[in-house]
Amino acid sequence: MKRGNTMNAPGAMAVLVGAMLAAGPAARAQAPATPPAPAAAVLGSGVAAPTGPWTLQSAVDYALKNNLTVRQSELTAQQQQAVQRLNRAAQLPTAGLSGSQGFNFGTNRDPFTNQFQQLNVRSNNFSATAQATLFAGFQLRNTVKQGVLDAQAARIDIEKARNDLSLNVASSFLQLLLAQELIRASEARMGSVQEQVTRSEKLLKAGAVAEGNLLDSRAQLASEERTLVTAQNQRDLAQLALVQNLNLDPATAGSFEVVVPALPDPSQYGAATANALDPNATFELARQRLPEIKAADLRVQSARRGIDIARGAYYPRLTVAGGVQTGFSSVRNQTVRVNGEPIEVPVLQRNPTAPGGYSSSPFVLLSPQTTFQTLPYKFFDQLGDNQGEFVQFNLNIPILNGLQTRVGVQRAQINVQQSELRAEQVTLQLRQTIQQSFADALAAQRRYQASSRQVDALTLAFRNAEIRFNNGLLNGTDFNIARNNLTAAESDMIQAKFEFVFRRKVLEFYEGKPLTL
C-alpha cells in the first residue's frame, strides 16, 4: 500500500505501539470532564474548521474532505477518465482542412500546366481530407476496454486512500488520548509525591525521620517532573500529527482539543472476543469489500486485456481515406473565344447602262470572324475548375518488424504475471495484517488482565510500604522501589489497554464498521 503522506494499517499500528512503548512510567487517573470548546481553527487554505472538541468520527470525516492525499487520488481518477475518453475517441474518423500559399521565383514549374517558366509564381492549395480505420486487429476496441478497467481501478483507489487516511487519523487520535492519559497519571503521582515531600519535611523537623528520607522524596519528585515533561512532549507530537492529517494550520495545534471517550475495559470481553473477532471470518468480509482487493483484480483484468492489444499487431490494418482538393496559380491564363462584328460586303452586278458597265447591289452581311484571347485566370474560377476528389483504401500487412510484436506480446504476458503476483501479495498482506491484529489484540487483552492483577497486588504492597516509610520503619530507597514497581505496572496496563482498543478497531474497520470510540 503505497501513497504520499499516509501509512498502511500495519504501519499505523506500528507507530501507535512504538509510541506506547516509548512512553515513560505513568499511573491511572480519572478522566476529567470534557474540556471547553476552543476557538475556531483555520485551514491553511483559509477554510474555517469546526469549533469545539473533536471526536474520532468528526476528525475522520473532516480529514476525508480536506486531506491532500485523498484529493490527489481524486485528481488521478479524473485523469484516468480523460484517458478513457481519448481511447473511445480514437475509434472515430479523423477529418481536417488544410491550406497553403507559396511564392516561387525564377524558373519554376506550373503545378497545373507542368510547364517550366521564368516567372514569379504565387500558388495556393486547399484540401479537405478524412480518414477512418476499418480494421486494426481489434486494438482500438481492446484499448477502450482496458481503459474502462483502469478508470474503475483509479476510482477504487480513492476509497483505498480514504481507508488509509481513516486508520492514520485513528492512530493519531489514540496516540493523543494515550499521551493525555499519561499526563493525567503523572500529575496525579506528582501530587502524591509532593504530599510525601511535605510530610517528610514535617517529620524531619519533629526528628521522626532521617534527612535521607526527605532527600529520597525530593529525588522522586524530580523524577516525576521529568516523566511529566516527557508525556507532555509526546502529547504535543501526537497532537501535531493529528492536526497535519486533518490538513489544519499547525498554529492551531495549541488550541486543538479532543473529546476523551470512555474506553472499554479489555477484561470485559473475556473469551467472547475470540469468537466475535474470528480472523478467518474478518478476512472473508474484508476481501469482499476492501478497495485494494478490487483494484488489484481490476488491474489483473487490465493486464490480460493488454495481451489482446499486443496480439492485435499481428493482424493487417485497413484504413480508408478520402478528400477534396483544389488550387490556384498566378501564371495560369484562360483562353476566351471572342466573336467579331458582322462584315458588310457590296455585291456588283453587270449593268450596261451604268457607268463602267457595273452597278452595286445592296450589301450582303457576312458571318463574323471568331478570335481567341488569352486572359488572366480568376482566383475563384480556378478554385472551381481545379477541384478534384479522391478515395483510397490502404492495407498494411505485417510480415517482419524486428520481432517487436512478439516481444510486445511476451512483455504483456509478463505484465499479467506481475499483476497477479501483486494481487496475491495484497491478499496475503491483508490476511497477515488481520491475523497479526487478532493475535496482538488477544495478547494485549491478556497483558492487560495480568497487569491489572499486578497493579492490585503492588498497590497493596505500596500502601504497606508507605505506612512503614511514614513511621520510619522503611528507608527511602526501598520505598521508591515499591513506588516505581507500581508505576511500571500501571504504565504497562495503560499501554495494553490502548493497544487492545486500536487492534480491535482495526479488525472492526475491516469488517465494515465505522471508526468510532
Side-chain angles (χ1 to χ4, degrees):
M1 303 179 185
K2 296 182 178 179
R3 57 194 180 278
N5 298 329
T6 57
M7 301 178 294
N8 54 23
M13 290 186 289
V15 171
L16 178 60
V17 176
M20 292 177 175
L21 297 178
R28 287 177 298 176
Q30 296 296 326
T34 302
V42 179
L43 263 173
S45 59
V47 180
T51 59
W54 295 73
T55 62
L56 176 58
Q57 186 64 49
S58 63
V60 170
D61 294 340
Y62 188 84
L64 294 178
K65 294 180 180 179
N66 297 277
N67 187 266
L68 298 181
T69 302
V70 175
R71 291 165 61 183
Q72 182 65 35
S73 300
E74 294 173 351
L75 293 177
T76 302
Q78 295 178 10
Q79 187 177 27
Q80 189 61 48
Q81 291 176 357
V83 174
Q84 180 186 0
R85 290 193 294 269
L86 287 178
N87 294 336
R88 292 184 182 277
Q91 301 179 105
L92 302 177
T94 59
L97 301 174
S98 64
S100 65
Q101 177 170 292
F103 297 90
N104 298 322
F105 308 95
T107 302
N108 298 284
R109 182 179 62 85
D110 189 341
F112 298 100
T113 63
N114 286 326
Q115 295 179 356
F116 288 92
Q117 301 180 13
Q118 185 70 23
L119 294 173
N120 296 334
V121 181
R122 179 177 69 88
S123 61
N124 296 89
N125 291 284
F126 304 96
S127 64
T129 59
Q131 181 176 342
T133 300
L134 301 181
F135 182 76
F138 305 106
Q139 286 183 317
L140 296 179
R141 186 175 65 179
N142 289 325
T143 301
V144 172
K145 293 180 179 180
Q146 186 184 50
V148 172
L149 296 172
D150 292 338
Q152 293 177 355
R155 288 193 296 269
I156 292 177
D157 285 340
I158 299 176
E159 189 63 25
K160 176 183 179 298
R162 293 167 62 90
N163 288 346
D164 293 339
L165 178 61
S166 300
L167 289 176
N168 286 335
V169 171
S171 174
S172 300
F173 196 91
L174 286 174
Q175 287 183 50
L176 181 57
L177 293 181
L178 172 61
Q180 291 179 348
E181 182 77 11
L182 295 177
I183 290 175
R184 288 191 292 268
S186 181
E187 289 175 345
R189 286 197 308 274
M190 280 191 60
S192 176
V193 175
Q194 183 62 52
E195 293 177 357
Q196 186 65 42
V197 171
T198 303
R199 186 182 304 109
S200 297
E201 290 175 348
K202 295 179 179 179
L203 294 175
L204 178 62
K205 292 180 180 180
V209 296
E211 185 179 3
N213 290 351
L214 177 59
L215 297 178
D216 290 338
S217 298
R218 290 176 177 176
Q220 185 66 25
L221 179 60
S223 177
E224 292 297 338
E225 290 177 350
R226 182 188 62 82
T227 302
L228 177 60
V229 171
T230 301
Q232 290 173 345
N233 291 336
Q234 293 176 351
R235 177 202 58 191
D236 295 340
L237 293 176
Q239 188 169 274
L240 179 60
L242 181 57
V243 168
Q244 290 176 344
N245 280 330
L246 297 179
N247 196 25
L248 291 172
D249 187 356
T252 63
S255 59
F256 188 85
E257 298 289 345
V258 296
V259 175
V260 180
L263 297 180
D265 190 345
S267 60
Q268 295 177 355
Y269 294 92
T273 303
N275 298 326
L277 298 177
D278 179 42
N280 294 326
T282 302
F283 171 74
E284 292 300 329
L285 291 174
R287 187 173 61 176
Q288 297 174 6
R289 59 173 297 276
L290 279 188
E292 52 263 40
I293 302 296
K294 299 178 182 178
D297 292 338
L298 287 174
R299 288 189 169 92
V300 171
Q301 300 177 29
S302 175
R304 291 172 180 170
R305 188 65 62 178
I307 296 180
D308 297 334
I309 297 174
R311 287 175 175 170
Y314 284 123
Y315 294 90
R317 187 180 185 91
L318 178 62
T319 60
V320 61
V324 179
Q325 58 188 10
T326 185
F328 167 81
S329 176
S330 62
V331 298
R332 188 175 183 186
N333 297 322
Q334 183 178 24
T335 302
V336 181
R337 179 180 178 179
V338 179
N339 294 326
E341 296 293 334
I343 302 175
E344 296 180 353
V345 179
V347 179
L348 297 179
Q349 295 179 352
R350 188 175 181 84
N351 187 358
T353 61
Y358 290 93
S359 62
S360 61
S361 62
F363 291 95
V364 176
L365 296 176
L366 299 179
S367 299
Q369 295 181 348
T370 300
T371 61
F372 294 90
Q373 246 180 344
T374 301
L375 300 176
Y377 214 141
K378 295 182 179 180
F379 180 82
F380 289 102
D381 291 341
Q382 284 197 44
L383 295 184
D385 295 340
N386 297 334
Q387 181 176 335
E389 298 85 14
F390 74 94
V391 175
Q392 66 181 19
F393 290 87
N394 298 320
L395 179 63
N396 183 13
I397 301 176
I399 298 177
L400 182 64
N401 60 355
L403 301 180
Q404 293 184 8
T405 301
R406 177 178 296 181
V407 174
V409 173
Q410 293 175 352
R411 294 177 61 183
Q413 292 172 345
I414 295 174
N415 190 26
V416 170
Q417 296 177 3
Q418 291 176 338
S419 300
E420 291 174 347
L421 286 178
R422 284 192 291 266
E424 293 179 4
Q425 185 177 7
V426 171
T427 303
L428 178 62
Q429 184 177 3
L430 174 62
R431 180 186 293 274
Q432 291 176 349
T433 300
I434 292 177
Q435 291 175 346
Q436 187 66 42
S437 298
F438 178 78
D440 291 340
L442 289 181
Q445 184 186 39
R446 298 190 186 102
R447 186 157 60 95
Y448 177 84
Q449 294 173 349
S451 298
S452 179
R453 292 190 295 269
Q454 185 183 22
V455 167
D456 293 339
L458 291 176
T459 300
L460 295 177
F462 173 74
R463 291 176 181 174
N464 182 48
E466 186 178 19
I467 295 174
R468 297 172 59 193
F469 177 77
N470 293 334
N471 293 327
L473 301 178
L474 186 68
N475 58 45
T477 301
D478 294 337
F479 176 70
N480 289 334
I481 291 176
R483 182 192 296 276
N484 292 334
N485 290 337
L486 176 60
T487 298
E490 290 176 336
S491 177
D492 186 69
M493 185 176 64
I494 294 175
Q495 294 175 25
K497 178 180 180 180
F498 277 87
E499 183 178 358
F500 173 81
V501 171
F502 182 74
R503 304 289 183 176
R504 181 176 175 84
K505 288 301 174 183
V506 169
L507 293 172
E508 292 178 352
F509 180 78
Y510 284 145
E511 292 178 349
K513 299 178 181 179
L515 284 173
T516 56
L517 293 176

